[in-house]
């Protein structure tokens, strides 16, 4: 490998999926079987990530039950019960000092005022370590939870998302940084001239403001976006400071990296203001044989009904139970309308690798279409370094197959190898998530307006 540019460091997030990312992880002896609602499990995981000097931990979330497939596969899902992420992160922030917390919240099904208040509170509680993963919710089984008859179409969801993010950021600016005087001698608590009502009236939202909590140490929690569709890339280019994405080849990842960063100029932003963090699910062994044995052990735990359920979104309306598991899929469709860009990744993978049905669901079972790398710590570091140094990634969202076991292995074996190569920090640079990610603190929109007026 070539010598790294030591002025640029990998950014690492730990993407936490309860028992682990492998679909059968809950059956593995290295998992915590009730982890979705086990706070001690999450404390252990967060502390492990912090010991490994990770920038952040992240949990995906949905405002409904995750369910794909038939009743048989549904009964075998290990992700049916799990914490709401902001609540979880608030609890974990008091037992950690450096790690950042990325919580998912939907612009389609949440209220912007309540969301802004919730994340501002988390940023204060954590002393500047909060981030919001902006999603529009692609799942079509949740609208009934909110009194809606149908799930909004993608174009409407993303149009609302642009407006929603702008409203939330405006609410976070309700108080100027120096608005809270708190002068006990004079009795003046704050300067009313430095409190601003948003008075937003838009196509989708009407929000008066101001927010009833002051600006936090980060100014705004970090904005994260997850998705690689055309609409998703535009939302990220306009608003995000980090983007989570899924690719399985260097060429695809390079094309995405160049594309999304190339869209930023029209929004008055520079490429350095957005970190591209593809997912990587490492299966680690001290030898190649050990790593392959670990992967085989996990694959043996997949029930066929659960495996086929992972393919259901990509073959809508098809009865997959009739397929021969050891033959190639009868056909590979174009990505279904309304399904996010993950369909492109999965269907291209099926075409490129010529997988059988079983091979395809076994691959997806590991990390739902994200990059699965099986090998020694040196092998995994080689692959990460290749993407990092060749315009494919600013860092990675590490997706442990089994928790807590796989995260411990990554921290103990891969992190030291990355540090040895000069690719990763040996100590935290700052106290806030923004400082550790190398992101600037945003100025208040009202301060900016005053500066322009002057």
């Amino acid at each position: 490998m070539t010598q790294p540019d030591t002025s640029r460091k990998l950014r690492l997030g730990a993407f936490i999926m309860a028992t682990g990312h492998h679909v059968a992880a809950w059956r593995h002896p290295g998992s915590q079987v009730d982890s979705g609602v086990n706070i001690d499990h999450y404390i252990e995981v967060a502390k492990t990530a912090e010991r490994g000097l990770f920038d952040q931990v992240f949990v995906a979330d949905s405002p409904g039950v995750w369910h794909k497939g038939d009743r048989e596969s549904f009964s075998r899902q290990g992700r049916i019960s799990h914490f709401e992420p902001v609540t979880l992160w608030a609890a974990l922030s008091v037992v950690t000092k450096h790690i950042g917390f990325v919580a998912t919240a939907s612009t389609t099904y949440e209220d912007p005022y309540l969301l802004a208040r919730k994340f501002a509170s988390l940023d204060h509680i954590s002393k500047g370590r909060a981030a919001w993963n902006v999603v529009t919710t692609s799942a079509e089984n949740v609208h009934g939870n909110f009194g809606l008859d149908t799930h909004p179409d993608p174009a409407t969801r993303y149009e609302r998302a642009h407006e929603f993010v702008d409203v939330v950021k405006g609410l976070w600016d309700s108080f100027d940084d120096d608005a809270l005087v708190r002068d006990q001698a004079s009795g003046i608590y704050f300067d009313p001239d430095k409190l601003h009502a948003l008075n937003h009236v838009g196509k989708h939202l009407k929000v008066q403001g101001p927010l009833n909590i002051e600006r936090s140490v980060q100014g705004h929690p970090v904005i994260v976006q997850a998705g690689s569709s055309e609409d998703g890339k535009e939302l990220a280019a306009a608003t995000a400071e980090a983007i989570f994405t899924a690719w399985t080849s260097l060429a695809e990842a390079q094309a995405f990296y160049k594309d999304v960063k190339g869209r930023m100029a029209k929004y008055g932003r520079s490429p350095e203001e957005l970190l591209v963090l593809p997912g990587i699910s490492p299966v680690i062994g001290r030898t190649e044989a050990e790593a392959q044995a670990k992967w085989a052990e996990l694959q043996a735990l997949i029930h066929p009904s659960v495996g086929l359920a992972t393919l259901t979104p990509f073959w809508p309306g098809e009865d997959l139970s009739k397929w021969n598991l050891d033959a190639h899929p009868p056909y590979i469709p174009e990505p279904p309308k309304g399904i996010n860009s993950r369909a492109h990744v999965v269907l291209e993978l099926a075409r490129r690798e010529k997988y059988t049905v079983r091979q395809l669901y076994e691959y997806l079972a590991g990390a739902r279409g994200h990059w699965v790398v099986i090998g020694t710590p040196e092998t995994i570091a080689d692959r990460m370094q290749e993407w990092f140094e060749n315009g494919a990634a600013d860092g990675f969202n590490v997706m442990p197959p089994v928790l807590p076991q796989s995260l411990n292995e990554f921290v103990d074996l891969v992190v030291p190898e990355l540090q040895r190569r000069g690719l990763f920090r040996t100590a935290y640079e700052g106290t806030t998530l923004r400082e550790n990610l190398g992101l600037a603190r945003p100025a208040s929109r009202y301060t900016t307006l005053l500066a322009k007026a002057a």
Side-chain angles (χ1 to χ4, degrees), residues 37-364:
V37 290
N38 186 320
I39 189 62
D40 293 328
H41 165 76
Y42 280 104
I43 289 172
E44 177 185 350
V45 167
K47 287 185 173 181
T48 298
E50 188 167 77
R51 177 169 62 84
L53 303 177
F54 276 61
D55 292 280
Q56 60 205 19
V57 286
F58 161 62
V59 287
D61 192 53
S62 173
V65 169
W66 278 317
H67 173 40
K68 298 171 184 175
D70 57 17
R71 184 179 178 84
E72 168 71 14
S73 64
F74 191 33
S75 72
R76 298 174 180 275
Q77 295 293 333
R79 299 166 181 160
I80 195 69
S81 173
H82 51 90
F83 290 127
E84 186 281 319
V86 175
T87 309
L88 173 63
W89 292 152
L92 295 186
S93 71
V94 300
V95 295
T96 55
K97 293 182 179 179
H98 303 285
I99 196 86
F101 298 103
V102 186
T104 298
S106 172
T107 58
T108 302
Y109 292 110
E110 297 228 17
D111 174 86
Y113 188 92
L114 295 178
L115 184 146
R117 186 185 187 205
K118 183 167 56 175
F119 277 85
S121 297
L122 178 61
D123 210 33
H124 278 285
I125 292 168
S126 66
K127 300 180 181 179
R129 294 184 282 143
W132 170 29
N133 177 39
V134 179
V135 299
T136 67
T137 304
S138 62
E140 297 190 6
N141 66 337
V142 302
H143 59 269
N145 297 339
F146 299 89
L148 300 180
D149 294 327
T150 59
H151 183 53
D153 64 82
T156 300
R157 296 201 311 271
Y158 275 99
E159 184 181 67
R160 174 183 163 94
H162 281 269
E163 184 180 345
F164 194 110
V165 173
D166 186 62
V167 167
V168 169
K169 290 166 73 174
L171 290 169
W172 284 336
D173 288 341
S174 293
F175 287 89
D176 289 349
D177 286 318
D178 58 352
L180 278 293
V181 179
R182 296 188 176 102
D183 186 337
Q184 291 177 310
S186 69
I188 301 297
Y189 195 79
F190 83 105
D191 183 348
D193 290 335
K194 296 183 178 182
L195 177 62
H196 309 278
L198 186 63
N199 293 320
H200 173 87
V201 179
K203 181 175 180 179
H204 298 277
L205 302 167
K206 184 177 181 180
V207 182
Q208 178 178 310
L211 198 63
N212 58 352
I213 186 169
E214 64 201 78
R215 261 185 140 229
S216 67
V217 63
Q218 291 196 113
H220 298 169
V222 174
I223 299 290
V224 179
Q225 202 268 332
S228 305
S229 66
E230 285 299 306
D231 288 334
K233 285 184 282 191
E234 283 299 317
L235 182 62
T239 67
E241 296 166 290
I243 182 169
F244 299 152
T245 185
W247 302 105
T248 58
S249 74
L250 175 62
E252 289 174 316
Q254 288 172 320
F256 175 83
Y257 187 95
K258 182 178 180 181
D259 183 0
V260 72
K261 294 211 176 197
R263 298 173 187 238
M264 298 177 69
K266 64 185 174 185
Y267 298 106
R269 307 181 68 206
S270 66
E272 295 74 26
E273 294 178 70
L274 175 63
L275 301 170
V276 177
L277 306 173
I280 179 173
S281 188
V283 182
I284 307 163
R286 294 182 184 275
T287 65
E288 184 70 27
E290 181 184 318
Q292 291 294 340
K294 286 183 176 181
W295 182 239
E297 180 185 17
L298 275 167
Q299 300 298 62
L301 297 175
I302 304 170
H303 190 275
S305 68
V306 176
L308 289 174
T310 66
L311 304 182
T312 298
F314 313 112
W315 278 269
E318 185 73 41
D319 183 1
L320 304 187
S321 66
K322 297 179 180 179
W323 286 7
N324 180 347
L325 300 185
D326 297 308
H328 298 295
Y331 65 97
I332 298 176
E334 291 303 310
K337 184 179 179 181
I339 297 292
N340 65 19
S341 61
R342 187 62 53 83
H344 293 263
V345 175
V346 171
L347 296 173
E348 177 57 30
L349 179 72
R351 289 189 184 97
R352 185 177 70 240
E353 301 296 336
K354 297 181 173 55
Y355 282 148
T356 66
V357 174
R358 190 190 306 275
Q359 287 171 330
L360 182 58
Y361 80 54
E362 284 182 343
Y363 187 93
L364 295 183

Side-chain angles (χ1 to χ4, degrees), residues 1-6 8 10 250 254 371 373 376-392 396 417-418 420-423:
M1 302 296 291
T2 59
Q3 288 299 311
D5 175 6
T6 55
R8 179 171 172 256
L10 276 166
L250 175 62
Q254 288 172 320
W371 191 32
V373 182
T376 64
E378 293 78 15
T379 298
I380 291 164
D382 285 346
R383 302 294 298 279
M384 294 172 73
Q385 183 171 357
E386 181 184 25
W387 281 36
F388 179 60
E389 293 182 344
N390 289 281
F396 295 91
E417 180 62 24
L418 295 173
R420 186 184 67 78
R421 300 178 188 207
L423 294 169

